[in-house]
Amino acid sequence: MSNEAAVVEKVQEVVKAPAEPLLSKRRKKIVSDPLSEDNPITVQVLGICSALAVTVKMEPTLVMSVAVVFVIVFSNLIISLLRNTIPNRVRIIVQLAVIATLVTLVSEVLKAYYYDMFKVLSVFVGLIITNCIVMGRLEAYAMGNKPYDSILDGLGSGFGYAWIILTVAFFRELLGSGSIFDFKIFEAVGWYSFPNNGLMVDPVGAFMVLGILIWVQRTKTGYVEH
Amino acid sequence: MQQSNTYIIIFSAIMTIVIGGLMSLTSVVLKPMQDKQVELDTKKKILGAVMDISAIKDPDEILAVYNKRVRSVVVDIDGNDIEIDGKGNPVVAEKVNIQKNYKVDPETRSYPVFMFMAENGEDVDSYIFPMFGAGLWDWISGYIALDKDLNTVRGIAFDHRQETPGLGARITEDEVQGRYVGKKLFSETGSFESINMVKGEGNTGLSQHEVDGLSGATMTAKGVNKMLEHYISCYDAFIAKRKPDNKITLNY
């Protein structure tokens, strides 16, 4: 695999004689693809576990999104920088070690400065380690691409994950608790009798919202699974 | 390209050292801040059991209120005060590790009692007892605040490590904790009844010793019930000593 990657790289280097613009068409595509057409959650169906678990309210979801974007971008960068020195036979372990380090870092910082949120997210921050999106990007992209492109790829996948779970959380909190970021939205507009839907607070609600989201997206993009 | 075993071993060794060093550095640097957060969290929970502190945002203010209003003692299973521990060091109620205590024999544990003082600073307004037990996945803990009569629940505050978010983790929600307020621990004949969280949600016609349960979290509710019963019974001697009237009043 690394042989192939090396060859591909050489070819690329020969072809692009003038430096590629920082935001060339190809690079824009790296970021925009995972946002919609190749979304990690709705198309690749990865990272569902945390998408279901943390999306009851907007605030923890936002913290989780930031954490995932941070981990995915920096692990992509680190692995990409090391990609030519990482021994092929232990590469999965190296990837895991890098992810685990970054996740522990996030977890420790949350514990020190955002203790309430640390308690709410508890295990799910730790579970970023096993989030298939992160490892998937490292193995599929960062191992064979340059650092800057890897960062873009990380941003794309990270935000692709983030906007989906934030959308799910938006509907779950709105319908399940009648609030957005704990701000009672229905009471604010004078609708005091708004019935909170208990189903939305349960993981079942996340499945439903996510299902509808995938449906809408696939209708728009015309994506069909083969 | 296939690297040699030596290369792999050296690479792994360097990686381990770098990552290990980074991790311990983070841990050491952030430890004081984390300890402060934990201390603040403990005091917030103790206060949260008796009063609404959600309006107070400033951590220092919470600590100030705590220092002003809360007195604490540590008692043993027989309700006698403990001043020094086995090694001769003074015992501080806030520093007693409930989790460690949970693992030792109930007879030899130290039991902290927090007393929320009235505005005048002399009379006890409310007694707060810590609790510790097992939930579905990991430990659960809590503080229960009782009125002066040491029977009626003033408030309760739960905490947990890994109960399922949206299910068992709901024990930390105000709405769920509010269900305990006004319930009684002892029957009218003075016998210990504890307070049970019943199975299912939306139950009506609950007695003085029952609260509505959590849908989908029966195991957590069971853990909460067991914790409450077990820990309060350990404070039995203390409660008996402090109760305003030790006589049992029978209502016929």
Side-chain angles (χ1 to χ4, degrees):
Chain A
M1 196 225 131
S2 66
N3 269 334
E4 259 178 54
V7 172
V8 170
E9 234 176 59
K10 254 184 198 157
V11 171
Q12 272 182 356
E13 263 172 297
V14 175
V15 173
K16 50 158 194 181
E20 200 181 348
L22 274 182
L23 282 171
S24 65
K25 208 174 171 195
R26 182 184 67 87
R27 285 182 165 150
K28 273 186 191 153
K29 211 168 149 46
I30 296 176
V31 182
S32 66
D33 256 5
L35 290 182
S36 160
E37 273 153 47
D38 200 18
N39 191 282
I41 297 184
T42 58
V43 178
Q44 299 172 12
V45 200
L46 297 175
I48 294 289
C49 162
S50 59
L52 299 181
V54 300
T55 52
V56 178
K57 294 248 164 105
M58 288 292 276
E59 202 187 347
T61 314
L62 188 68
V63 175
M64 185 72 181
S65 303
V66 173
V68 169
V69 171
F70 171 84
V71 171
I72 205 167
V73 167
F74 279 90
S75 56
N76 251 5
L77 172 67
I78 293 168
I79 292 295
S80 177
L81 285 171
L82 294 174
R83 71 187 185 282
N84 294 327
T85 57
I86 296 173
N88 210 20
R89 274 180 287 172
V90 293
R91 68 180 191 284
I92 301 283
I93 300 172
V94 176
Q95 290 164 8
L96 259 183
V98 170
I99 301 170
T101 310
L102 288 167
V103 167
T104 313
L105 214 63
V106 170
S107 173
E108 293 279 308
V109 169
L110 272 183
K111 193 177 173 191
Y113 295 100
Y114 208 177
Y115 194 72
D116 293 336
M117 203 38 72
F118 172 77
K119 283 194 304 185
V120 173
L121 289 172
S122 60
V123 291
F124 294 105
V125 169
L127 281 178
I128 298 175
I129 296 172
T130 58
N131 191 324
C132 318
I133 301 172
V134 186
M135 270 207 78
R137 289 334 290 165
L138 294 187
E139 177 68 6
Y141 201 90
M143 283 301 286
N145 286 282
K146 292 191 164 175
Y148 180 62
D149 287 354
S150 298
I151 292 178
L152 292 180
D153 179 75
L155 283 173
S157 290
F159 284 112
Y161 171 84
W163 86 259
I164 295 286
I165 63 168
L166 281 168
T167 312
V168 174
F170 176 82
F171 287 111
R172 286 184 74 186
E173 191 177 352
L174 185 72
L175 301 174
S177 319
S179 58
I180 295 296
F181 282 105
D182 281 328
F183 175 73
K184 294 277 175 198
I185 208 135
F186 288 108
E187 284 176 25
V189 297
W191 186 2
Y192 290 97
S193 59
F194 178 79
N196 287 340
N197 189 339
L199 200 62
M200 283 293 155
V201 180
D202 278 350
V204 183
F207 266 121
M208 292 165 73
V209 176
L210 203 57
I212 294 169
L213 210 61
I214 292 177
W215 182 16
V216 171
Q217 199 194 22
R218 289 189 180 182
T219 310
K220 267 188 87 175
T221 59
Y223 174 85
V224 185
E225 240 162 66
H226 300 291
Chain B
M1 124 192 84
Q2 194 75 280
Q3 286 90 351
S4 67
N5 286 347
T6 328
Y7 178 80
I8 294 177
I9 290 168
I10 292 172
F11 185 93
S12 312
I14 294 174
M15 183 183 76
T16 312
I17 292 165
V18 169
I19 288 178
L22 204 65
M23 288 291 85
S24 25
L25 187 73
T26 325
S27 179
V28 170
V29 170
L30 293 176
K31 190 86 171 78
M33 196 63 201
Q34 290 175 348
D35 286 347
K36 210 180 150 201
Q37 291 273 12
V38 172
E39 183 200 344
L40 180 68
D41 192 61
T42 309
K43 295 189 170 174
K44 252 163 113 177
K45 267 187 284 189
I46 295 170
L47 282 179
V50 283
M51 59 192 278
D52 182 23
I53 51 159
S54 57
I56 312 173
K57 288 276 177 270
D58 183 18
D60 293 333
E61 209 176 314
I62 290 174
L63 294 179
V65 172
Y66 185 90
N67 289 338
K68 185 165 166 266
R69 298 293 292 273
V70 179
R71 302 279 172 277
S72 55
V73 290
V74 180
V75 297
D76 60 15
I77 189 87
D78 299 320
N80 301 316
D81 288 5
I82 313 175
E83 307 262 307
I84 49 168
D85 64 11
K87 290 182 194 125
N89 301 318
V91 183
V92 182
E94 285 82 5
K95 292 270 160 70
V96 173
N97 189 327
I98 315 291
Q99 183 164 10
K100 267 189 198 149
N101 260 290
Y102 179 66
K103 293 194 185 108
V104 301
D105 182 33
E107 299 285 324
T108 55
R109 282 183 204 158
S110 19
Y111 295 99
V113 178
F114 304 96
M115 285 164 290
F116 188 71
M117 311 306 277
E119 288 287 357
N120 64 21
E122 282 167 23
D123 303 325
V124 177
D125 188 35
S126 171
Y127 292 89
I128 305 159
F129 303 104
M131 304 175 284
F132 196 91
L136 172 56
W137 302 117
D138 210 315
W139 58 258
I140 49 175
S141 68
Y143 290 91
I144 182 167
L146 303 178
D147 274 342
K148 275 182 290 222
D149 65 359
L150 280 162
N151 185 9
T152 315
V153 178
R154 171 78 69 89
I156 203 160
F158 291 119
D159 193 12
H160 68 93
R161 186 178 161 85
Q162 315 204 322
E163 296 312 294
T164 323
L167 299 175
R170 285 178 57 213
I171 53 172
T172 57
E173 286 178 5
D174 293 343
E175 194 269 316
V176 176
Q177 294 171 3
R179 294 174 189 175
Y180 280 88
V181 176
K183 300 283 176 181
K184 302 211 187 287
L185 285 171
F186 296 88
S187 74
E188 279 167 358
T189 55
S191 62
F192 179 58
E193 292 282 332
S194 187
I195 300 171
N196 271 307
M197 189 174 255
V198 296
K199 195 177 152 89
E201 198 153 0
N203 297 288
T204 49
L206 298 165
S207 75
Q208 287 280 327
H209 308 294
E210 286 171 340
V211 292
D212 201 7
L214 298 172
S215 173
T218 308
M219 294 299 284
T220 304
K222 272 187 186 160
V224 168
N225 293 341
K226 214 174 148 197
M227 167 172 84
L228 203 63
E229 188 176 350
H230 175 73
Y231 251 84
I232 298 299
S233 62
C234 291
Y235 280 102
D236 242 5
F238 176 84
I239 292 175
K241 270 187 188 172
R242 291 286 183 121
K243 242 181 177 172
D245 54 313
N246 283 323
K247 279 170 256 146
I248 297 164
T249 45
L250 295 171
N251 292 345
Y252 286 111

